[in-house]
Amino acid sequence: MPAEPHTRLPWLRERLFDGLVIPAHPLALDLDRRLDERRQRALTRYYLAAGAGGLAVAVHTTQFVIRDPMVGLFMAVLEMAAETAREAPERPVLISGICGRTRQALREARTAADLGYDAGLLSLAALPRASDDMLIAHCREVARVLPLIGFYLQPAVGGRPLSLAFWRRFMEIEEVVAVKVAPFDRYRTLDVARAIAESGRAGEIALYTGNDDSIVADLLMCWTLPEGEVGCAGGLLGQWAVGTRRAVELLGRVRAARDAGCAPRSLLDLAAQITDTNAALFDAANGFAGCLCGIHEVLHRQGLMQGRWCIDPAENVSFGQIGEIDRVLAAYPHLHDDAFVEEHIDQWLA
């Protein structure tokens, strides 16, 4: 069992509490729906040049089907991102999505550890009827291989409800370093914040927003609870797979506002604009059916992807979604990285 990831725990905790922009990495495909290695690496270079402090690979935005033996891209995309990340002046935090039942999750965790990943974002979607005891046993086994980031995934894209009692026990696992809250639900987000506070480990377990519908609100918010205060250090978001440089600027503004103890009206206006943008890109009107293709569409227009294709030919934008994407891109150009990408894309594609 690789021990190296656990030797980096102090560094990892410090970096996560610094507050990072961590984009969820998409999958670049060519016209034949095969991996476009050149553009896959260009995406990684874009995120790192934009100032992202970490990368989340083999997650929902990368398409879970990469694990299918007929597709066979899980190791390839992890390896490619890790190799490309070594070009960066400062080492980013490398996070691998971990899925499946225990045998599969352990195999994925070992692969990620061997490739130099720092933590695993652990999805529990493959265990929809497991009891809390079964879930905790599963998490503990995976944590022995790779430090864990808990993941509260919204049910609309395959997640399952997780109780406050589960989260309280999850926080007791020594190798847990963070939790990504992405239930798109304020009550369930509060459950995770409560569990961190009640664990007495608020200084060891970082909270990261994955609620793409309330990014700024989450980053500004501090849950003041009897056991202590818990706030989001940063974000691990599919939304931040586009406009990454703007996201880095946003996080800086939010941190300044928190330090000042006052959020300016301009930041609250920006929050509404980001949610409107997310509704179009993630296809909220159609139950998030076009969320991946919406992100791909923006990257395609910028030249970072050849098209908006997914591995599954049936997966595409929804009716009316392109019109909504046109609208938000025109309405909020300050949320996007068009000029930055245009300036550097040849370098990233080299």
Side-chain angles (χ1 to χ4, degrees), residues 6-240:
H6 295 87
T7 67
R8 294 194 295 271
L9 270 173
W11 170 84
L12 177 58
R13 293 190 195 279
E14 181 178 359
R15 291 292 290 132
L16 289 170
F17 273 99
D18 281 346
L20 303 177
V21 166
I22 304 176
H25 205 305
L27 184 70
L29 300 175
D30 63 18
L31 182 61
D32 297 317
R33 300 181 193 273
R34 294 178 300 196
L35 179 63
D36 183 341
E37 180 174 339
R38 181 167 171 247
R39 283 178 168 77
Q40 188 73 9
R41 292 186 186 276
L43 284 171
T44 303
R45 291 173 181 138
Y46 159 50
Y47 298 136
L48 297 176
L55 298 169
V57 189
V59 292
H60 175 251
T61 308
T62 325
Q63 302 179 48
F64 290 137
V65 73
I66 62 173
R67 295 161 169 83
D68 189 315
M70 297 297 292
V71 177
L73 288 178
F74 176 75
M75 184 168 182
V77 297
L78 285 180
E79 190 168 22
M80 203 171 296
E83 286 178 354
T84 309
R86 285 197 282 272
E87 300 171 4
E90 182 178 7
R91 187 187 194 284
V93 172
L94 294 177
I95 299 165
S96 171
I98 305 295
C99 296
R101 294 182 175 274
T102 304
R103 180 177 297 180
Q104 176 184 337
L106 289 171
R107 184 169 62 248
E108 292 187 6
R110 291 186 187 108
T111 297
D114 289 344
L115 292 172
Y117 279 72
D118 303 298
L121 181 68
L122 184 63
S123 170
L124 300 175
L127 302 165
R129 289 176 293 278
S131 67
D132 284 358
D133 286 345
M134 294 168 65
L135 291 176
I136 293 298
H138 172 80
C139 295
R140 286 190 183 280
E141 283 201 56
V142 179
R144 294 189 187 101
V145 178
L146 195 64
L148 288 189
I149 297 176
F151 188 15
Y152 206 158
L153 177 65
Q154 62 160 321
V157 291
R160 56 159 287 173
L162 295 163
S163 68
L164 174 60
F166 163 79
W167 286 114
R168 283 172 171 154
R169 293 177 63 186
F170 182 80
M171 303 309 171
E172 296 172 0
I173 299 173
E174 183 180 354
E175 299 87 357
V176 168
V177 294
V179 179
K180 169 182 172 173
V181 279
F184 286 39
D185 182 301
R186 308 316 298 161
Y187 302 111
R188 290 173 176 171
T189 297
L190 174 60
D191 281 348
V192 177
R194 277 187 61 190
I196 291 176
E198 292 170 5
S199 72
R201 300 183 66 197
E204 299 177 44
I205 299 175
L207 186 64
Y208 268 64
T209 182
N211 289 318
D212 302 78
D213 63 340
S214 55
I215 296 170
V216 176
D218 275 1
L219 292 174
L220 282 171
M221 190 175 296
C222 180
W223 288 270
T224 302
L225 302 164
E227 297 81 9
E229 294 184 349
V230 176
C232 286
L236 196 169
L237 294 153
Q239 173 72 25
W240 284 353

